[in-house]
Amino acid sequence: MSGNTELLSTTLATARAEDRAALIAYLPAGFPTVDGGIEAVKAVVAGGADVVEVGLPHSDPVLDGPVIQTADDIALRGGVKIADVMRTVREAYEATGAPILVMTYWNPIDRYGVERFTAELAEAGGAGCILPDLPVQESALWREHAERHGLATVFVVAPSSKDERIATITAAGSGFVYAASLMGVTGTRASVGAQAQDLVRRTRATTELPVCVGLGVSDAAQAAEVAGFADGVIVGSAFVKRMLDAPDEAAGLAAVRSLAADLAEGVRKR
């Protein structure tokens, strides 16, 4: 079975045709448990998320803020493995029909084997991978296997990226471009702001791919603000925080579903 790049592209195109941004939710696999993580993905899609990024928990998540690090720690202490990430993708995709990507640092893929990882992700119905720390110039092997298996390769651009560098990154990527709205680690912010808007403008000048903004969005008003200039709004820490703050798993699932509904309304108000 080949992956779901096409489903991802269609989903983003449908949002654009509806004159709105897509809502992309991030949740780590294995948090609070593997089963609970699968239910959380189903809950955000039920609430209104168009696309879901499933995080592969990492012991040294350099780009992730304290909220996601806490969730990753819980998942790793629970013994989460790449097989559990694949199971999360498979069961979430089968239950929702939404495009599911994996967001991961490069090291776990490298250790697991690129061919094995891409084959298993495609077989699970995954739409692709977001690889925040894989330099484009070192990505040829990954991209060859990803293309063979019908998987999108999403690279990250940052406000510090020069225009020439952005063009190199977007030429190599597929699916969409992940625009990190701020320098620094993930987490909710009071304002997402002008830096992100400028980065989207510069990125769009180099590519036809949708440009989706992540890092910092935590409520419907911010989602509407970002949806005013981006093709997609990526929300992670705010969902994870709702799960962490909940007294039990059922309350956590209700909270993320409710937040997804608020954000889905926000992206339609741009």
Side-chain angles (χ1 to χ4, degrees), residues 100-201:
I100 315 281
L101 299 112
V102 169
M103 184 160 188
T104 178
Y105 295 99
W106 178 245
N107 192 28
I109 295 178
D110 197 31
R111 285 206 309 259
Y112 197 72
V114 177
E115 169 55 26
R116 182 182 174 198
F117 190 95
T118 50
E120 288 182 9
L121 182 56
E123 197 271 323
C129 245
I130 300 161
L131 300 161
D133 68 338
L134 177 64
V136 168
Q137 61 274 20
E138 293 169 25
S139 68
L141 176 70
W142 164 266
R143 285 186 286 137
E144 178 195 325
H145 287 290
E147 276 166 37
R148 184 183 306 156
H149 291 292
L151 298 168
T153 298
V154 177
F155 288 115
V156 179
V157 294
S160 59
S161 307
K162 303 274 186 284
D163 291 354
E164 192 182 337
R165 170 103 185 116
I166 291 174
T168 304
I169 292 170
T170 59
S174 54
F176 64 91
V177 183
Y178 188 126
S181 68
L182 300 141
M183 302 302 292
V185 298
T186 59
T188 59
R189 300 283 194 309
S191 164
V192 183
Q195 220 180 14
Q197 194 162 354
D198 181 58
L199 178 59
V200 170
R201 180 188 58 75

Side-chain angles (χ1 to χ4, degrees), residues 41 58 111 196 245:
V41 177
H58 194 265
R111 285 206 309 259
D245 291 349

